[in-house]
Amino acid sequence: DIVMTQSPDSLAVSLGERATINCKCSQSVLYSSNSKNYLAWYQQKAGQPPRLLIYWASTRESGVPDRFSGSGSGTDFTLTISSLQAEDVAIYYCQQYYRHSSKTFGQGTKVEIK
Amino acid sequence: EVQLLESGGGLVRRGGSLRLSCAASGFIFSTYAMSWVRQAPGKGLEWVSGISGAGGAIYYADSVKGRFIISRDTSTNTLYLEMYSLRAEDTAVYYCSREGGYGDSYHFDYWGQGTMVTVSS
């Protein structure tokens, strides 16, 4: 299985400040034949199912505010919230879908307001 | 509007069995691969099992292989997860999710609200 490791486990950011979450894959999730990174980011608020934010590492899902952005390639990826809002308090997960047979998630990063 | 509605969760004794259902609507069910993802209380997300649109390709996490069976019925637009030999560590909210495309491996673009499974010892 591809192991996904997120850092940090939690972070507290002031309203309006930048939040950065990292995700490292134990092997590359870049598929050379189409140059796509099989990496997604999800947001999960308390008591709710996950919500897709970013796919193909950097494509924002429809309806997701543009303060959310994804970057990276190969094994190292980043989710950035450019200006944290109160409604962004949640746990964020990265996920690889490079392998049909095992679509693993990171352990999650909890984002709070400082 | 895409909707996924899980049902079938509940309290079951260790070693028992349960069948979860996920009723899908708002899209051509047979076109999309589907997965089950679970979340133990206070823990992160764990992918459990996936099935291709036509049902010909099926995958399981090692933690459930040999105990869980995923299937789909395109006539009723329903996804299933049969769970056997349940263990305490299977206690979780089980989510049904849709993959965001076909013909390749995709992210999960829609999720149900989840159904809780509690395995008592």
Side-chain angles (χ1 to χ4, degrees), chain A residues 51 53-54 60-69 87-88:
Chain A
R51 172 197 181 193
L53 295 177
I54 303 285
R60 197 178 303 114
E61 173 71 333
S62 175
V64 173
D66 61 7
R67 63 180 180 273
F68 291 92
S69 64
E87 61 265 32
D88 300 335

Side-chain angles (χ1 to χ4, degrees), chain B residues 86-101:
Chain B
L86 283 162
R87 307 167 178 169
E89 55 265 36
D90 296 318
T91 294
V93 174
Y94 285 73
Y95 295 104
C96 163
S97 60
R98 189 189 85 161
E99 289 201 22

Side-chain angles (χ1 to χ4, degrees), chain B residues 27-87:
Chain B
F27 64 101
I28 302 173
F29 183 64
S30 60
T31 302
Y32 292 84
M34 303 290 293
S35 279
W36 289 97
V37 177
R38 69 184 180 183
Q39 187 169 37
K43 303 297 184 183
L45 302 171
E46 179 189 14
W47 174 83
V48 172
S49 181
I51 185 169
S52 62
I58 286 175
Y59 310 99
Y60 297 100
D62 287 343
S63 58
V64 306
K65 202 171 293 182
R67 301 188 300 120
F68 288 13
I69 300 173
I70 191 172
S71 63
R72 63 193 301 162
D73 184 341
T74 53
S75 68
T76 60
N77 291 349
T78 305
L79 176 72
Y80 297 101
L81 186 68
E82 297 174 68
M83 304 184 295
Y84 300 94
S85 302
L86 283 162
R87 307 167 178 169

Side-chain angles (χ1 to χ4, degrees), chain A residues 28-97:
Chain A
S28 177
V29 297
L30 172 62
Y31 193 40
S32 56
S33 66
N34 60 13
S35 300
K36 287 184 175 181
N37 287 283
Y38 286 58
L39 189 286
W41 290 95
Y42 301 87
Q43 175 194 64
Q44 187 178 33
K45 297 182 179 179
Q48 296 184 18
R51 172 197 181 193
L52 176 67
L53 295 177
I54 303 285
Y55 56 97
W56 302 131
S58 61
T59 301
R60 197 178 303 114
E61 173 71 333
S62 175
V64 173
D66 61 7
R67 63 180 180 273
F68 291 92
S69 64
S71 62
S73 184
T75 61
D76 293 280
F77 300 89
T78 299
L79 175 70
T80 301
I81 309 172
S82 60
S83 176
L84 191 75
Q85 304 299 303
E87 61 265 32
D88 300 335
V89 168
I91 299 176
Y92 293 83
Y93 296 92
C94 62
Q95 180 211 22
Q96 65 78 21
Y97 46 99

